[in-house]
């Protein structure tokens, strides 16, 4: 998916130069009593950009979305659309489509009437409404259930109605609060493509809340990772995945091994008595935590000629077959155990429990953070 | 532990769910039989007796009283008046109660119980006392007329009681707590997210109210209206005092016939008529509820 659309990433960077901020949050803060749900959040979303708001449960994603939509007031900070402050604008005048985490479908209306609601508010003609509603329902594959009530639908079907209801009004800004959380893997993939497609076609600026990193990485132009109400990092999927700014981000966007060590120079650390080259930016002479993604480590038989990668000898203590990958746990001498993932496939050499092996990984795959991580 | 657990046979009585249900509803069945069904049946019996001038009653089985009620334009008008006035009272009670119920429903939980208490506190005072309160406020020498006269807006006291208006004011106020409580009970489906969803789709406040809020609270509205309508049709003290003998309603007429004129068969047949009206109200209610679903 990442490799699939290098063009729009290039586009995104080009428009960055023009820096055309459609939706801009500056020092946004939301306080519930003593509790800071969102703190000093500054994000600038370009016109037509799909940005993910990624973070663990309770980190303030929904709260942020509600402030943008005008359903909750910010304690301080500013929200601008096209440079204009919109805090005083009521929700109904903001022209934003919102998919609620809890769907919020009108229980007293049929699916069709639910989807038509926004168009009726915009005083479209009856024929036009009927046509657009039918198209929107087709898009989410629910045309056949148009006359049902929401309570007669499954959770995933309700979620798709909510999506259709927000999409059909073709808002200038689309806010999606985990719109695919209740769908099965296949449908979710289809919906991702659909959302991305409509979003690109209509150039709708979109904020996509999710706690699924795969979703964020695969669909979005940029990702804003939130942690306890604060912005931990914002950047392209590659930035976030390859160059996480904090250990929190590194751990949140995928599995990762942690190795306690000491920094010896900007691009070298020691773990026990082993020396490893790193991605750089390491702090010399301090306790550090090195992080390596399991699938970036290669397992080779002992005695394989050395290359310019990091190497460590170990013994396989566990091997788990998970379909498309094999998960190994490899104990290094000195008590550290690393997880390693390799793709499965006939041509690959599989290792067995107790095999003595050697691990190899590139210097730039060794991320280094301060030890307080 | 296992020894006691696996010895249910030791328990002398064990009732299955099937046996326990009739047992549990038995008390209410008995209460109902004694306090509702039996009196209703004796009323029915009484309505079939023949009244004799002077208050005597002849035991017989005749539909004579019903026939005279159905053919007398006074009674037909009485029925129509009662239903009409009580419908208006119900409508006004709803109109005044809805905003209050919505306000309490949305209030901070801290204040909610206090506000609810304030709504039901009038029920602690007897309707008679509250009606006299209205006499004091609305009477010719009452508060409102004093203000109107004092300000020079009128030079004759305005007639505010001993007419339909007085009865309406009194009954609306007295029945509002019932309406508010019924409405609040029906607000369960009113998820604030739904109103937010409507707003985010472009609905203004008023549109949200009639497209989302009111439809969602319709079951509570129906229940409150049924309750208030039935209570107003059967209420007697307030129409009697605030109507001052000039407002003729079924309940006051039943009182007059039974206590003043001692025409029990007529009073009984009018009571049966009230029961029919209740039945009709119930039918309308269940139709509405079914349509809403
Ligand atoms: N009305 C409220 N009053 C007090 N605290 C609140 C309120 N709404 C949210 N919070 C708190 O604010 C924090 C952020 O909530 P929010 O709903 O934005 O989380 P989230 O990131 O959307 O989480 P999830 O992924 O579980 O949906 C949570 O800790 C929550 O408990
Ligand atoms: Mg949320």
């Amino acid at each position: 998916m990442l490799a699939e659309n290098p063009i729009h990433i290039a586009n995104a960077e080009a428009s960055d130069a023009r820096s055309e901020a459609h939706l801009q949050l500056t020092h946004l803060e939301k306080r519930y009593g003593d509790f800071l749900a969102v703190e000093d959040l500054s994000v600038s979303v370009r016109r037509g950009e799909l940005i993910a708001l990624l973070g663990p449960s309770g980190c303030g994603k929904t709260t942020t979305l509600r402030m943008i939509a005008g359903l909750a007031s910010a304690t301080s900070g500013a929200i601008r659309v096209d440079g204009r402050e919109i805090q005083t604008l009521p929700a109904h005048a903001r022209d934003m489509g919102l998919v609620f985490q809890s769907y919020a479908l009108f229980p007293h209306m049929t699916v069709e009437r639910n989807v038509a609601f926004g168009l009726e508010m915009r005083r479209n003609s009856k024929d036009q409404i009927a046509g657009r509603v039918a198209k929107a329902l087709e898009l989410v594959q629910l045309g056949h259930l148009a006359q049902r009530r929401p309570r007669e639908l499954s959770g995933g079907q309700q979620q798709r109605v909510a999506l259709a209801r927000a999409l059909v009004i073709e808002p200038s800004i689309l806010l999606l609060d985990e719109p695919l959380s209740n769908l099965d893997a296949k449908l979710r993939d289809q919906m991702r493509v659909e959302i991305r497609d409509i979003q690109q076609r209509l150039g709708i600026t979109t904020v996509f809340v999710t706690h699924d990193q795969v979703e964020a990485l695969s669909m979005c132009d940029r990702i804003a990772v939130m942690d306890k109400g604060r912005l931990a990092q914002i950047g392209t999927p590659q930035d976030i995945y390859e160059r996480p700014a904090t250990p929190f981000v590194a751990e949140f966007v995928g599995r990762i091994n942690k190795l306690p060590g000491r920094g010896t120079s900007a691009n070298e650390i020691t773990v026990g008595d082993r020396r490893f080259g790193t991605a750089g930016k390491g702090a010399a002479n301090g306790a550090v935590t090195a992080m390596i993604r399991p699938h970036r480590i290669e397992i080779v038989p002992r005695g394989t000629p050395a290359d310019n990668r990091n190497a460590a000898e170990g013994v396989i203590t566990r091997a788990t077959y998970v379909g498309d990958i094999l998960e190994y746990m490899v104990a290094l001498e000195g008590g550290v155990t690393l997880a390693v993932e390799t793709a499965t496939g006939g041509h690959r050499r599989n290792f067995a429990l107790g095999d003595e092996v050697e691990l190899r990984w590139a210097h730039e795959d060794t991320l280094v953070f301060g030890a307080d991580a | 532990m296992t020894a006691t657990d696996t010895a249910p046979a030791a328990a002398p009585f064990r009732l299955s769910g099937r046996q326990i249900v009739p047992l549990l509803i038995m008390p209410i069945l008995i209460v109902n039989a004694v306090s509702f069904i039996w009196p209703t049946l004796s009323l029915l019996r009484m309505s079939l007796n023949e009244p004799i001038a002077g208050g005597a009653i002849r035991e017989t089985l005749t539909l004579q009283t019903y026939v005279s009620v159905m053919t007398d334009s006074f009674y037909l008008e009485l029925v129509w008046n009662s239903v009409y006035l009580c419908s208006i009272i119900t409508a006004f009670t709803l109109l005044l109660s809805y905003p209050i119920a919505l306000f309490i429903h949305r209030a901070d939980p801290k204040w909610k119980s206090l506000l609810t208490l304030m709504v039901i506190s009038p029920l602690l005072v007897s309707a008679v006392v509250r009606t006299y309160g209205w006499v004091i406020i609305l009477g010719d020498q009452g508060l409102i007329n004093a203000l109107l006269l004092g300000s020079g807006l009128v030079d004759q006291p305005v007639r505010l009681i001993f007419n339909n208006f007085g009865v309406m004011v009194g009954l609306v106020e007295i029945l509002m707590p019932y309406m508010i409580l019924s409405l609040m009970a029906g607000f369960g489906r009113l998820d604030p997210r739904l109103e937010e969803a409507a707003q985010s789709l472009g609905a203004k406040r008023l549109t949200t109210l009639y497209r989302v809020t009111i439809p969602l609270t319709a079951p509570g509205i129906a229940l409150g209206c049924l309750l208030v309508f039935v209570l107003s049709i059967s209420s007697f003290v307030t129409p009697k005092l605030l109507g001052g003998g000039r407002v003729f309603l079924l309940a006051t007429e039943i009182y007059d016939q039974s206590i003043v004129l001692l025409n029990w068969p007529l009073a009984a047949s009018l009571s049966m008529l009230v029961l029919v009206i209740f039945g009709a109200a119930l039918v309308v209610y269940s139709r509405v509820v079914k349509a809403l679903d």
Side-chain angles (χ1 to χ4, degrees):
Chain A
M1 220 27 214
L2 284 182
E4 204 175 283
N5 39 26
I7 297 152
H8 80 244
I9 289 164
N11 275 344
E13 271 154 18
S15 64
D16 195 10
R18 278 182 281 129
S19 151
E20 188 192 357
H22 186 195
L23 172 67
Q24 197 174 19
L25 315 179
T26 34
H27 306 296
L28 204 59
E29 180 180 297
K30 179 68 187 182
R31 200 178 268 283
Y32 289 114
D34 288 339
F35 179 73
L36 266 173
V38 173
E39 195 179 346
D40 193 26
L41 184 69
S42 296
V43 175
S44 176
V45 190
R46 289 181 288 261
R47 184 173 301 282
E49 188 179 26
L50 175 54
I51 195 165
L53 221 50
L54 180 68
S57 184
C59 73
K61 305 181 296 288
T62 298
T63 308
T64 305
L65 226 52
R66 288 173 58 79
M67 287 191 284
I68 299 173
L71 300 174
S73 57
T75 310
S76 68
I79 303 170
R80 292 194 182 82
V81 171
D82 288 326
R84 202 165 62 93
E85 285 227 20
I86 57 163
Q87 262 103 317
T88 51
L89 216 57
H92 67 77
R94 290 196 182 188
D95 191 29
M96 296 182 182
L98 173 59
V99 173
F100 286 73
Q101 195 168 10
S102 54
Y103 324 143
L105 298 178
F106 305 124
H108 58 297
M109 297 181 197
T110 60
V111 165
E112 191 176 35
R113 307 260 35 98
N114 263 281
V115 178
F117 191 90
L119 296 174
E120 286 166 7
M121 294 304 122
R122 282 160 179 74
R123 307 202 187 284
N124 290 34
S125 76
K126 272 214 163 70
D127 292 345
Q128 208 181 357
I129 292 177
R132 283 171 70 175
V133 167
K135 243 175 73 188
L137 285 176
E138 223 40 70
L139 190 75
V140 295
Q141 304 173 18
L142 286 178
H144 58 297
L145 299 180
Q147 299 310 323
R148 292 252 188 110
R149 293 293 182 85
R151 62 151 188 270
E152 297 160 345
L153 300 180
S154 75
Q157 290 167 338
Q158 290 179 29
Q159 198 159 35
R160 282 181 281 157
V161 176
L163 193 58
R165 189 175 67 174
L167 284 173
V168 77
I169 59 175
E170 300 184 357
S172 69
I173 295 176
L174 189 59
L175 307 170
L176 307 171
D177 200 348
E178 305 195 20
L180 309 177
S181 60
N182 236 329
L183 307 184
D184 62 61
K186 186 160 162 259
L187 199 53
R188 191 180 325 200
D189 280 344
Q190 286 175 6
M191 286 299 134
R192 277 181 197 157
V193 173
E194 292 290 1
I195 292 177
R196 183 64 175 158
D197 195 53
I198 299 177
Q199 186 267 333
Q200 294 273 283
R201 200 149 33 85
L202 303 176
I204 307 176
T205 306
T206 306
V207 182
F208 191 112
V209 164
T210 177
H211 52 222
D212 178 344
Q213 75 277 5
V214 176
E215 205 158 272
L217 291 168
S218 63
M219 290 181 72
C220 301
D221 297 315
R222 281 193 304 158
I223 299 173
V225 185
M226 288 181 71
D227 179 22
K228 301 196 191 86
R230 295 181 139 269
L231 186 66
Q233 187 178 3
I234 182 163
T236 62
Q238 283 92 335
D239 284 339
I240 300 288
Y241 194 80
E242 306 286 347
R243 296 173 287 282
T246 66
F248 168 81
V249 175
E251 284 185 88
F252 196 76
V253 295
R255 289 186 67 199
I256 202 155
N257 290 297
K258 288 208 251 183
L259 289 174
R262 296 195 71 76
T264 49
S265 77
N267 43 24
E268 196 182 63
I269 57 166
T270 57
V271 176
D273 50 9
R274 272 184 289 264
R275 290 174 175 283
F276 295 131
T278 70
K281 80 156 194 156
N285 294 322
V288 296
T289 302
M291 293 193 173
I292 312 150
R293 299 223 179 265
H295 68 98
R296 292 288 166 87
I297 302 176
E298 193 189 348
I299 306 184
V300 295
R302 292 232 177 131
T304 305
D307 45 28
N308 59 355
R309 292 185 294 175
N310 290 321
E313 296 188 335
V315 177
I316 295 188
T317 56
R318 205 168 76 203
T320 316
Y321 177 79
V322 226
D324 49 355
I325 56 167
L326 260 165
E327 259 178 35
Y328 294 105
M329 297 305 286
V330 182
L332 307 186
E333 286 137 38
V336 187
T337 299
L338 291 184
V340 180
E341 290 172 4
T342 62
T344 50
H347 62 286
R348 275 168 216 279
R349 159 132 200 229
N350 290 343
F351 297 90
L353 218 59
D355 279 2
E356 299 195 332
V357 295
E358 203 173 305
L359 303 181
R360 300 274 172 90
W361 67 92
H363 293 185
E364 61 269 25
D365 287 331
T366 316
L367 310 170
V368 180
F369 300 99
D372 46 326
Chain B
M1 160 129 183
T2 46
T4 50
D5 269 3
T6 53
F13 300 111
R14 254 191 114 77
L15 295 168
S16 70
R18 228 176 244 269
Q19 292 165 307
I20 228 157
V21 167
L23 218 72
L24 285 175
I25 60 171
M26 193 61 90
I28 192 69
L29 282 179
I30 294 171
V31 168
N32 243 320
V34 171
S35 67
F36 177 70
I37 297 170
W38 184 68
T40 306
L41 288 176
S42 36
L43 266 181
L44 183 63
R45 177 71 195 86
M46 177 59 75
S47 70
L48 301 173
N49 286 337
E50 191 188 327
I52 301 172
I57 295 160
R58 197 165 64 84
E59 292 253 347
T60 170
L61 281 175
T62 168
L63 287 172
Q64 191 50 51
T65 343
Y66 286 101
V67 171
S68 59
V69 165
M70 292 305 182
T71 51
D72 189 334
S73 68
F74 172 78
Y75 289 113
L76 292 179
E77 206 167 302
L78 190 70
V79 171
W80 168 244
N81 259 349
S82 299
V83 172
Y84 177 71
L85 191 66
C86 292
S87 302
I88 292 182
I89 286 169
T90 306
F92 273 108
T93 312
L94 175 64
L95 229 55
L96 291 174
S97 303
Y98 197 83
I100 298 175
L102 206 56
F103 177 78
I104 297 176
H105 178 74
R106 288 182 181 158
D108 194 304
K110 273 197 301 241
W111 298 106
K112 218 165 168 169
S113 43
L114 181 72
L115 290 169
T116 312
L117 200 73
M118 278 170 65
V119 163
I120 57 175
S121 60
L123 298 177
L124 302 176
V125 181
S126 131
V128 181
V129 176
R130 286 158 72 199
T131 302
Y132 273 118
W134 280 112
V135 172
I136 293 169
I137 294 171
L138 299 175
D140 282 359
Q141 273 90 45
L143 182 71
I144 295 192
N145 270 315
L147 283 175
L148 288 175
L149 290 168
S151 66
L153 281 172
V154 295
D155 40 37
Q156 286 280 313
V158 181
R159 166 104 321 161
L160 296 172
I161 50 170
F162 306 143
N163 55 15
N164 279 354
F165 177 79
V167 174
M168 268 168 55
V169 170
L171 275 181
V172 166
E173 186 266 332
I174 283 168
L175 296 175
M176 271 176 68
Y178 300 99
M179 181 65 93
I180 294 174
L181 289 179
S182 311
L183 288 174
M184 282 171 61
F187 281 177
R189 269 214 309 178
L190 190 61
D191 180 350
R193 295 270 174 283
L194 297 174
E195 292 165 301
E196 290 176 356
Q199 278 162 21
S200 82
L201 288 166
K204 300 197 177 75
R205 272 167 175 260
L206 214 60
T207 318
T208 307
L209 182 71
Y210 72 80
R211 288 291 305 269
V212 176
T213 315
I214 290 178
L216 285 177
T217 55
I221 294 176
L223 178 66
C225 286
L226 173 73
L227 192 65
V228 165
F229 181 78
V230 164
L231 286 173
S232 62
I233 285 261
S234 58
S235 75
F236 149 73
V237 175
T238 309
K240 184 86 191 161
L241 292 177
L242 289 173
R246 279 175 218 154
V247 176
F248 297 97
L249 294 176
L250 273 169
T252 52
E253 184 64 18
I254 291 167
Y255 175 85
D256 286 344
Q257 288 298 338
S258 59
I259 306 293
V260 182
L261 303 171
L262 295 178
N263 189 343
W264 285 21
L266 181 58
S269 47
L270 287 176
S271 302
M272 298 315 290
L273 211 59
V274 171
L275 218 59
V276 170
I277 294 174
F278 285 177
L282 257 171
V283 168
V284 171
Y285 169 76
S286 52
R287 284 268 166 86
V288 167
V289 168
K290 209 164 165 193
L292 286 175
D293 208 31

